[in-house]
């Protein structure tokens, strides 16, 4: 099982959330909002590109819009592998988290 | 929402982004950026947005370059590493390569320097396009008689009559003069009389002095920087006074920058024209008495037809009066300043000229050497291919594209030629001074740092790198990877043929050049040793330019003749090698004919001192008091030319003041160089102080010695000289040496071709070495098999040599006729020449074969002694 890195996970989640309106600008906004820090465009593009290469994402071009100076958006969409990878990592994390409250959180309460 | 439309993102930044991230023309990335830009603009204002956008562009482009750079460095390092490893492994070959290429580049650099120097003659004058020299054509009995000079009256008269002539300059070069300042007394040449306009017409930048006045007054002199420095050191030269013998003192009124050496008039000092003659005097001179180099400056794009249209009126006014008495029609010849140095008109009293064929020779030599050097590189690079193929094959297997390989190999040859260029630059820097002396080239060291030259050399380096790299690069990179990594790679037949052709070509050139060199030196030797009709050996020519001695010349002669080693002494104006000419009337069948023949002026005993022979009549004789005025000796050619059956007593006159007759006929002797046929010449007497008559004075005193000039005799002569005149240095030359000097140009050419031939030999031997190493590698297995089957080392060496032998024989067969054509052309300018010596050709051929054998044997012996087991074990 391949593991996603944290930024990758964040980006995939953001795209999932955004559904049909996921493209670089919205994705970056979303991630900025959640993490509370500014991601540079460079970092955004690199991560997106890597995810496409890993086949977790596909991209397609939208109709051009006026706001973008008449240019198309490159829209991103999760592939089945992408969804699977997200679910995998979620499951993994849940498994890891499962016992922790019982063992330590209670102990901390003491 | 907002009413005011937001301006688009910064144009430049956007264009840059588009350029660096084309994104197949969709620009979705840039679209993203623009969207964010607009968002920022809406929230925080346009200025912030624009700043942000620019930052984005800057950051992305910066990292783009960083990326490119880092990777190319890594690749470059890799290439360098490969190349350096190759060089280490193959030191010998690379050494030969560097040697060949450096020699080639160095030669080319020198040739570029030379050509640049030659082709920019007189071009430093800003008005060069508008300056013409007016030369004279005195049409005599229908034949042109050309003088480079014109009458001193011509300039001023032309300016009077032709308002379009902006300026005129008359220049009169002076013979060597003795300059005295303080304790410095030096013979100074390259001093001229010139009109003040010289500084306005020609470009001689004045460093000190006033351009309007410095050449106005009589006895003013303007010096070059160097000359001023020589006489006055650090003192201020202005208003210093230089004493000149037999002339008024000169006052320095200006200093000019040293003019470039590539000017047809070498000038180191300019004396005001008025020191020689006033304007009134000069316009009084007849148009038929040429003496001054006359230049005029015309308006831009002036049509000379306009001038010729008005010329008949001018002729009527100023020339017609003298037409009768001189028997000549006077015509003008305009020559553009830039064309003077290479004119082939054949003017009398011409300045030393350049020779275009010399330029072409140099140019072709340059090309030849370059080609030879490149051929060598190609040869060696492909010869090493057998060792390289595996590397290339492996690279291909590992995914290197053809393009990358071509770049790598080209880069390699560029690197090699770059290193060679650096070597060559150093070599030229070191060898320029000796070469200048050897070939009398007058090249300026400073030119080496001229940006034009540096650009040319860089261009040359690129050219060589690419030309010599392109074939190996494409050849090697196109080898199929499967063939390359498999063991049995061998080059194609076409490949071998090309290499053979290249080597044969090299040998044709070198053998040809060797033959040419040999014939040239043979001809020069022939000219030195030929019987000239007089004895040039053991004659000393003492320069007389001094009234003290000239006035007492009879006594001085008397004194000298006392010495036991001195056979005879005679005065003269000019000597064999440097005669003058003159227009005389000769008694022909139908009255007097005008002819312009060579003239030697002589004193008593002249014929005897020269060692020439009188075949008819008698020599000048002090016993005949009329000889100094009427006696004339002519040579046999003149007698034949005039068709005289009985030459003695024939009348020869000049103008109204000379009425002479032939008293003797001298056997033909070569008074000029062997380039020329013997022409008619007449010898007449210097009247001068020797005979207590007014008139010309001798310029030199010839002394014939019994044997070789000995130090003692010379010292004695100097002693006598000093007794007569302690103020003048004793200056002498040997007649045979000055005669030999007539062949300086030929000797220079010979030396040039000789150097060229050495370089050719080196280069073609390098090529041969490359070929033989290639052959021996290619035939490694064959040799090993032969050895196993019992061939001796000698046999193998001979077998290996057979191939090269045929190539060289072929080269010889081609080279001989080609070089003979060249030799024939070169010999064409000599009236007297050696024949072609078949023995010399044979010796050259055998020599070439021998040297080739020795060179090639280096590799074949190595191959013959290799252990066959090592070479066969792959099978």
């Amino acid at each position: 099982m391949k593991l996603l890195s944290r930024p990758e996970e964040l980006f995939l989640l953001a795209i999932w959330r955004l559904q049909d309106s996921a493209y670089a600008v919205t994705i970056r906004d979303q991630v900025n909002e959640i993490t509370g820090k500014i991601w540079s465009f460079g970092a955004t593009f690199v991560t997106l590109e890597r995810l496409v290469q890993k086949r977790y994402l596909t991209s397609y071009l939208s109709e051009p819009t006026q706001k973008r100076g008449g240019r198309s958006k490159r829209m991103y969409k999760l592939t089945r592998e992408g969804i699977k990878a997200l679910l995998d990592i979620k499951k993994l994390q849940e498994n890891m988290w499962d016992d922790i409250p019982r063992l330590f959180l209670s102990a901390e309460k003491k | 929402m907002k009413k005011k439309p937001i301006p688009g993102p910064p144009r430049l930044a956007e264009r840059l982004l588009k350029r660096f991230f084309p994104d197949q023309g969709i620009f979705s990335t840039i679209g993203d950026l623009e969207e964010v830009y607009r968002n920022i603009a809406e929230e925080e204002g346009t200025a912030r947005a624009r700043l942000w956008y620019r930052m984005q562009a800057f950051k992305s482009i910066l990292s783009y370059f960083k990326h490119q750079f880092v990777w190319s460095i890594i690749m470059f390092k890799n290439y360098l590493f490969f190349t350096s490893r190759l060089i280490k492994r193959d030191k010998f070959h690379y050494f030969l390569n560097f040697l060949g290429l450096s020699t080639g580049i160095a030669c080319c650099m020198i040739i570029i320097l030379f050509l640049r120097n030659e082709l920019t003659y007189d071009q430093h004058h800003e008005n060069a396009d508008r300056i013409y020299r007016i030369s004279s054509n005195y049409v005599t009995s229908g034949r042109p008689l050309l003088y480079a000079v014109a009458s001193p009256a011509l300039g001023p008269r032309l300016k009077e009559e032709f308002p379009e002539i902006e300026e005129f300059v008359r220049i009169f070069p002076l013979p060597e003069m003795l300059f005295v300042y303080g304790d410095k007394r030096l013979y100074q040449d390259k001093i001229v009389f010139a009109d003040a306009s010289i500084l306005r017409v020609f470009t001689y930048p004045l460093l000190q002095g006033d351009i309007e006045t410095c050449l106005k007054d009589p006895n003013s002199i303007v010096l070059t920087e160097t000359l001023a420095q020589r006489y006055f050191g650090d003192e201020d030269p202005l208003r210093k006074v230089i004493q000149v013998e037999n002339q008024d003192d000169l006052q320095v009124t200006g200093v000019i920058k040293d003019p470039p050496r590539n000017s047809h008039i070498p000038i180191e000092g300019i004396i005001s024209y008025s020191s020689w003659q006033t304007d009134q005097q000069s316009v009084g001179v007849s148009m038929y008495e040429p003496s001054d180099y006359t230049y005029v400056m015309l308006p831009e794009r002036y049509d000379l037809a306009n001038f010729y249209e008005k010329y008949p009126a001018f002729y009527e006014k100023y020339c017609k009066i003298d037409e009768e008495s001189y028997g000549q029609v006077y015509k003008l010849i305009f020559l553009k300043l830039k064309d003077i140095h290479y004119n082939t008109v054949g003017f009398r009293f011409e300045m030393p000229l350049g020779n275009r064929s010399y330029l072409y020779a140099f140019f072709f030599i340059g090309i030849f050497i370059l080609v030879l050097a490149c051929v060598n590189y190609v040869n060696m690079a492909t010869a090493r291919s057998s060792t390289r193929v595996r590397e290339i094959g492996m690279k291909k297997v590992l995914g290197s594209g053809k393009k990358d390989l071509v770049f790598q190999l080209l880069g390699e040859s560029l690197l090699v030629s770059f290193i060679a260029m650096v070597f060559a630059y150093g070599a030229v820097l070191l060898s320029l001074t000796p070469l200048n002396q050897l070939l009398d080239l007058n090249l300026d060291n400073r030119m080496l740092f001229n940006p034009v030259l540096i650009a040319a050399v860089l261009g040359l380096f690129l050219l060589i790198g690419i030309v010599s790299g392109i074939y190996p690069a494409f050849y090697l990179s196109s080898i199929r990877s499967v063939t390359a990594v498999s063991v049995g790679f061998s080059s194609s037949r076409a490949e071998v043929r090309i290499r053979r052709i290249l080597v044969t070509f090299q040998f044709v050139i070198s053998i040809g050049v060797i033959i040419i060199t040999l014939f040239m030196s043979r001809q020069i030797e022939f000219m030195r040793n030929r019987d000239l009709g007089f004895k040039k050996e053991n004659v000393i020519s003492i320069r007389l330019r001094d009234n003290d001695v000239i006035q007492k010349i009879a006594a001085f002669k008397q004194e000298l003749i006392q010495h036991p080693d001195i056979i005879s002494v005679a005065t003269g104006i000019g000597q064999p090698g440097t005669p003058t000419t003159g227009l005389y009337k000769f008694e022909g069948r139908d009255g007097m004919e005008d002819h312009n023949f060579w003239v030697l002026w002589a004193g008593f005993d002249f014929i005897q001192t020269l060692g020439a022979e009188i075949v008819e009549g008698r020599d000048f004789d002090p016993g005949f008091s009329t000889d100094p005025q009427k006696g004339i000796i002519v040579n046999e050619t003149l007698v034949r030319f005039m068709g005289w059956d009985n030459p003695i007593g024939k009348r020869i006159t000049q103008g109204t003041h000379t009425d002479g007759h032939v008293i003797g006929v001298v056997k033909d002797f070569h008074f000029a160089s062997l380039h020329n046929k013997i022409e008619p010449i007449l010898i007449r007497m210097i009247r001068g102080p020797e005979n207590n008559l007014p008139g010309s004075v001798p310029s030199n005193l010839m002394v014939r010695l019994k044997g070789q000039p000995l130090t003692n005799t010379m010292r004695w002569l100097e002693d006598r000289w000093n007794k007569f005149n302690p103020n003048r240095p004793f200056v002498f030359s040997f007649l045979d040496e000055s005669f030999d000097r007539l062949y300086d140009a030929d000797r220079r050419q010979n030396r040039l071709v000789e150097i060229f031939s050495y370089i050719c030999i080196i280069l073609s031997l390098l090529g041969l070495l490359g070929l033989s190493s290639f052959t021996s590698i290619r035939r490694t297995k064959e040799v090993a098999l032969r050895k196993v089957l019992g061939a001796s080392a000698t046999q193998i060496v001979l077998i290996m040599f057979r191939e090269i032998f045929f190539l060289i024989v072929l080269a010889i067969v081609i080279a001989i006729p080609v070089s003979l054509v060249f030799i024939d052309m070169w010999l064409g300018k000599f009236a007297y020449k050696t024949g072609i010596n078949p023995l010399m050709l044979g010796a050259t051929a055998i020599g070439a074969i021998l040297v080739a054998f020795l060179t090639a044997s280096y590799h074949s012996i190595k191959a013959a002694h290799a252990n066959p087991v090592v070479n066969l074990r792959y099978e």
Side-chain angles (χ1 to χ4, degrees):
Chain A
M1 190 174 86
K2 280 181 195 160
L3 285 181
L4 288 171
S5 71
R6 180 87 340 153
E8 287 172 346
E9 188 189 349
L10 280 171
F11 275 82
L12 286 179
L13 281 170
I15 290 162
W16 207 356
R17 278 178 151 202
L18 287 162
Q19 292 292 336
D20 286 341
S21 58
Y23 64 100
V25 178
T26 50
I27 297 167
R28 178 168 164 263
D29 284 347
Q30 184 82 236
V31 177
N32 282 349
E33 213 170 288
I34 293 169
T35 58
K37 64 173 192 175
I38 307 285
W39 292 68
S40 76
F41 258 102
T44 315
F45 286 127
V46 168
T47 315
L48 288 172
E49 199 51 38
R50 196 184 304 139
L51 287 166
V52 171
Q53 265 181 22
K54 288 183 174 175
R55 294 171 196 279
Y56 293 145
L57 286 177
T58 56
S59 71
Y60 60 93
L61 293 170
S62 76
E63 289 300 306
T65 67
Q66 189 53 48
K67 197 177 183 184
R68 301 166 55 83
R71 294 186 191 92
S72 307
K73 295 172 191 165
R74 182 167 291 279
M75 311 298 291
Y76 293 92
K77 215 181 156 179
L78 287 181
T79 59
R80 196 172 302 159
E81 287 95 329
I83 294 170
K84 191 174 168 286
L86 273 180
L87 292 177
D88 280 350
I89 201 140
K90 181 170 177 267
K91 203 171 159 197
L92 182 84
Q93 282 182 15
E94 278 167 358
N95 287 345
M96 291 297 282
W97 274 107
D98 253 1
D99 292 340
I100 287 180
R102 200 154 40 84
L103 288 174
F104 295 103
L105 293 180
S106 53
E108 250 170 49
K109 261 181 201 164
K110 261 184 210 166
Chain B
M1 285 193 36
K2 296 267 185 318
K3 272 175 201 154
K4 210 168 47 176
I6 297 162
R11 287 265 177 74
L12 178 72
E14 192 184 348
R15 199 166 308 153
L16 283 172
L17 279 170
K18 277 187 181 172
R19 180 153 186 84
F20 286 101
F21 304 99
D23 196 8
Q24 286 137 17
I26 304 157
F27 301 123
S28 65
T29 321
I30 294 163
D32 289 337
L33 281 175
E34 187 166 344
E35 192 179 330
V36 176
Y37 160 80
R38 278 172 197 279
N39 288 340
I40 295 174
E42 271 168 27
E43 284 160 24
E44 300 176 48
T46 330
R48 286 292 292 267
R50 290 175 80 87
L51 185 69
W52 176 84
Y53 195 89
R54 286 208 178 95
M55 277 304 291
Q56 292 294 318
F58 177 69
K59 266 155 74 182
S60 11
I61 290 165
L62 195 73
S63 61
Y64 174 86
F65 275 118
K66 206 174 80 190
H67 222 68
Q68 288 277 317
F69 186 67
V70 167
W71 281 106
S72 59
I73 283 286
I74 289 173
M75 220 42 213
F76 186 67
K77 228 176 80 186
N78 194 19
Y79 289 154
L80 266 186
F81 173 65
F82 266 105
T83 312
S84 67
R85 203 156 66 173
L86 275 167
I87 293 177
K88 258 186 231 153
R89 194 168 56 194
D90 229 351
K91 281 194 201 84
F92 181 64
H93 271 135
Y94 273 93
F95 172 70
L96 294 186
N97 252 338
F98 285 137
L99 193 68
L101 279 181
S102 310
T103 327
I105 296 176
C107 290
C108 282
M109 275 173 69
I110 287 169
I111 286 164
I112 291 173
L113 280 177
F114 173 77
L115 288 180
R116 206 190 116 81
N117 183 53
E118 287 296 304
L119 293 175
T120 53
Y121 248 82
D122 292 317
Q123 281 181 16
H124 53 277
H125 297 298
E126 279 161 28
N127 300 322
D129 288 327
R130 305 197 279 141
I131 304 173
Y132 291 81
R133 188 180 77 189
I134 302 187
S135 308
S136 307
N137 179 5
Y138 297 101
V139 185
T140 317
S141 315
R143 274 191 304 240
L145 181 62
L146 303 160
Y147 284 89
V149 285
S151 158
L154 184 70
R157 289 301 187 206
L158 282 177
K159 186 142 166 55
E160 273 168 38
E161 300 296 321
F162 297 89
E164 61 265 41
I165 291 177
E166 289 177 16
E167 299 262 19
F168 70 89
V169 187
R170 292 164 297 176
I171 296 178
F172 184 83
L174 286 156
E176 262 184 343
M177 299 192 292
L178 189 70
F179 274 22
V180 181
Y181 177 78
D183 55 346
K184 297 199 179 76
R185 31 181 66 232
L186 297 164
Y187 271 113
Q188 203 60 61
D189 63 351
K190 297 177 186 162
I191 305 289
V192 299
F193 282 131
D195 289 304
S197 50
I198 188 172
L199 297 174
R200 294 192 295 270
V201 174
F202 295 101
T203 307
Y204 292 112
L206 260 181
L207 298 176
Q208 277 177 285
D210 179 52
I211 189 163
E212 294 304 325
T213 58
C214 64
L215 285 175
K216 211 169 134 211
D217 298 326
N219 301 321
S220 312
I221 184 168
V222 171
L223 300 175
T224 59
E225 256 175 296
T226 315
L227 219 57
Q229 174 74 24
R230 192 182 300 158
Y231 285 103
F232 311 114
D234 296 331
E235 295 171 52
D236 179 16
L238 282 192
R239 282 173 295 284
K240 289 276 187 310
V241 173
I242 296 176
Q243 289 164 302
V244 186
E245 205 173 26
N246 303 338
Q247 265 200 20
D248 295 332
D249 294 345
L250 296 173
Q251 191 179 40
V252 180
T253 52
V255 177
I256 52 170
K257 243 176 107 180
D258 286 333
R261 272 180 280 188
N262 50 356
S263 170
H264 80 283
I265 344 165
I267 285 184
E268 286 190 355
I270 307 167
I271 302 176
S272 52
Y273 196 83
S274 50
S275 332
W276 180 25
Q277 49 189 359
T278 62
D279 285 350
Q280 260 158 339
Q281 286 171 322
S282 63
V283 294
V285 178
S286 162
M287 287 296 175
Y288 286 85
E289 295 294 342
S291 60
D292 297 0
Y293 295 93
T294 306
Y295 302 82
V296 292
M297 186 155 80
L298 296 172
E300 257 167 87
R301 279 184 289 282
Y302 180 73
D303 188 1
L304 280 176
N306 296 336
F307 177 88
Y308 289 120
E309 210 170 282
K310 289 188 267 176
Y311 180 67
F314 180 84
Y315 187 83
E316 209 59 39
K317 198 164 165 187
Y318 296 108
C319 312
K320 200 74 180 175
I321 34 164
D322 290 325
E323 192 187 305
E324 185 81 19
S325 59
Y326 285 87
Q328 293 169 320
V329 178
Y330 182 42
K331 286 182 176 168
L332 300 183
I333 298 171
F334 282 77
L335 209 56
K336 265 201 164 188
L337 181 65
K338 284 177 186 168
D339 299 335
I340 294 175
H341 184 65
Y342 285 111
N343 87 70
T344 51
V345 180
F347 291 111
R348 290 182 179 181
F349 300 109
E350 182 58 278
M351 297 280 188
L353 293 181
N355 185 343
R356 265 203 192 278
S357 54
Y358 212 42
L359 285 194
Y360 295 135
F362 246 114
F363 180 72
F364 282 113
I365 286 174
I367 301 264
F368 265 147
I369 290 178
L370 240 165
V371 169
L372 285 186
C374 288
V375 162
N376 270 348
Y377 185 85
V378 173
N379 254 341
M380 298 229 192
T382 45
R384 282 196 330 273
S385 61
S386 47
T387 49
R388 290 299 293 278
V389 268
R390 238 161 275 171
E391 173 204 332
I392 305 286
M394 198 46 86
K395 277 193 176 147
K396 275 199 151 180
V397 169
L398 290 177
S400 174
K402 184 170 171 171
K403 210 173 84 183
D404 302 314
L405 284 173
V406 169
F407 273 117
Q408 188 207 333
L409 291 164
L410 264 184
E412 210 181 291
S413 75
L414 281 174
L415 181 75
V416 170
S417 67
F418 182 78
I419 297 175
M421 182 185 73
V422 173
F423 278 138
Y425 214 89
V428 171
L429 216 55
L430 290 179
S431 67
L432 202 59
T433 317
L435 214 62
N436 261 341
Q437 284 164 358
L438 195 65
L439 296 174
D440 195 13
L441 290 179
N442 263 339
L443 297 180
D444 198 335
N445 271 11
R446 282 168 303 180
M447 287 259 293
L448 271 178
F449 304 103
N450 181 312
V452 179
L453 178 86
I454 291 173
V457 171
L458 284 178
L460 197 70
F461 137 71
L462 278 179
L463 183 81
I464 292 182
I466 290 170
V467 164
S468 56
I470 205 143
Y471 175 71
F474 279 97
Y475 165 72
L476 280 176
S477 62
S478 62
I479 293 168
R480 285 178 51 209
S481 42
V482 183
T483 341
V485 281
S486 71
V487 183
F489 171 78
S490 69
S491 38
S492 69
R493 261 165 195 272
E495 170 59 28
V496 178
R497 197 174 317 132
I498 286 176
R499 184 152 314 123
R500 283 183 183 161
I501 290 171
L502 292 180
V503 165
T504 314
F505 172 69
Q506 288 184 324
F507 262 82
V508 169
I509 292 180
S510 356
I511 293 171
V513 172
I514 293 169
I515 293 175
I516 292 172
T517 318
L518 288 176
F519 271 102
M520 278 173 122
S521 37
R522 193 170 127 98
Q523 169 71 16
I524 286 164
E525 211 35 46
F526 163 80
M527 291 189 295
R528 282 179 53 117
N529 297 333
R530 190 183 154 91
D531 178 15
L532 296 170
F534 69 93
K535 299 186 188 69
K536 62 179 175 175
E537 292 81 13
N538 308 336
V539 177
I540 299 165
S541 174
I542 300 170
R543 178 160 56 184
L544 303 175
R545 189 160 298 137
D546 163 44
N547 265 324
D548 285 358
V549 177
I550 290 172
Q551 294 308 327
K552 292 179 273 184
I553 192 72
F556 187 55
K557 273 177 71 176
Q558 209 50 50
E559 179 103 22
L560 292 190
I561 204 81
Q562 303 301 322
H563 193 274
D565 280 347
I566 293 174
I567 298 174
S568 64
V569 182
T571 53
I573 298 177
Q575 57 192 32
T578 56
T580 57
T581 67
L583 184 72
Y584 288 83
K585 286 183 194 301
F586 294 81
E587 184 183 335
R589 285 208 185 88
D590 328 298
M592 300 303 274
E593 297 171 17
D594 283 318
H595 288 294
N596 194 291
F597 287 146
W598 296 102
V599 184
L600 272 178
W601 297 73
F604 291 115
D605 299 329
F606 185 77
I607 303 288
Q608 190 200 346
T609 309
L610 269 187
E613 204 182 315
I614 296 280
V615 288
E616 216 178 325
R618 58 180 178 83
D619 193 358
F620 298 121
D621 189 339
F624 290 79
S625 60
T626 53
D627 270 5
Q629 278 173 310
K630 302 197 165 186
I632 289 174
I633 295 175
V634 299
N635 71 350
E636 293 170 308
T637 309
L638 193 142
V639 172
R640 269 198 303 279
F641 187 92
M642 293 307 302
W644 288 335
D645 295 328
N646 185 15
I648 305 299
K650 289 280 192 273
R651 281 182 66 216
I652 298 177
T653 63
Q654 187 190 38
T656 49
H657 45 278
T658 309
D659 185 2
H661 57 265
V662 177
I663 58 163
V665 178
V666 65
K667 197 174 169 210
D668 275 343
F669 66 97
H670 290 277
F671 53 85
S673 72
L674 292 174
H675 294 117
N676 313 103
K677 279 216 148 20
I678 295 177
E679 285 176 40
I681 189 166
L682 59 94
I683 303 168
R684 56 178 295 192
M685 285 199 72
I686 305 169
R687 294 176 195 170
E690 201 178 343
N691 302 304
N692 291 320
L693 288 167
S696 45
V697 292
S699 67
N700 52 303
L701 184 70
M702 287 194 287
V703 179
R704 174 166 289 282
L705 303 176
K706 250 193 196 108
Q708 289 283 333
L710 299 171
T711 331
N712 274 344
T713 324
M714 297 312 297
R715 206 166 289 147
W716 184 83
L717 276 171
E718 186 165 2
D719 199 45
R720 294 299 104 167
W721 173 271
N722 287 339
K723 207 180 100 190
F724 273 82
N725 186 352
N727 297 327
R728 297 291 290 237
F730 175 64
V731 180
F732 63 92
S733 56
F734 297 105
L735 189 59
D736 48 355
E737 276 176 16
S738 27
F739 215 80
D740 280 352
R741 219 163 294 139
L742 297 176
Y743 308 119
D744 272 356
D746 305 305
R747 207 166 296 131
R748 228 166 27 229
Q749 282 169 19
N750 186 20
R751 231 175 282 148
L752 175 74
V753 178
E754 199 180 316
I755 291 173
F756 175 42
S757 73
Y758 292 143
I759 290 165
C760 281
I761 292 169
I762 292 172
L763 288 179
S764 52
L765 287 184
L766 290 184
L768 186 66
L769 213 54
L771 177 79
S772 64
S773 92
F774 168 75
T775 342
S776 62
I777 290 169
R778 202 166 51 89
R779 298 171 76 173
T780 314
K781 263 165 225 159
E782 179 199 328
V783 169
L785 274 177
R786 281 181 194 277
K787 270 195 101 169
V788 169
L789 295 175
S792 71
T794 330
Q795 279 170 320
I796 288 170
V797 170
L798 285 178
I799 288 167
M800 303 275 283
F801 184 64
R802 201 166 50 190
E803 178 189 342
I804 288 162
F805 177 76
F806 284 123
L807 295 185
I808 290 177
V809 170
L810 182 68
I812 291 169
V813 169
I814 300 171
I816 285 176
V818 173
S819 56
L820 287 185
V821 169
F822 273 104
I823 282 291
D824 210 49
M825 263 158 56
W826 190 74
L827 285 179
K829 62 179 180 168
F830 297 97
Y832 303 90
K833 51 196 159 201
T834 51
I836 280 160
N837 185 351
L839 213 70
M840 221 146 80
L841 295 179
T844 312
I846 291 171
I849 293 171
L850 260 174
V851 172
F853 177 72
L854 286 178
T855 313
S857 62
Y858 170 79
H859 278 287
S860 27
I861 289 176
K862 222 163 74 175
H865 285 281
N867 185 354
V869 178
V870 176
N871 291 330
L872 286 174
R873 80 186 154 182
Y874 277 119
E875 300 286 323

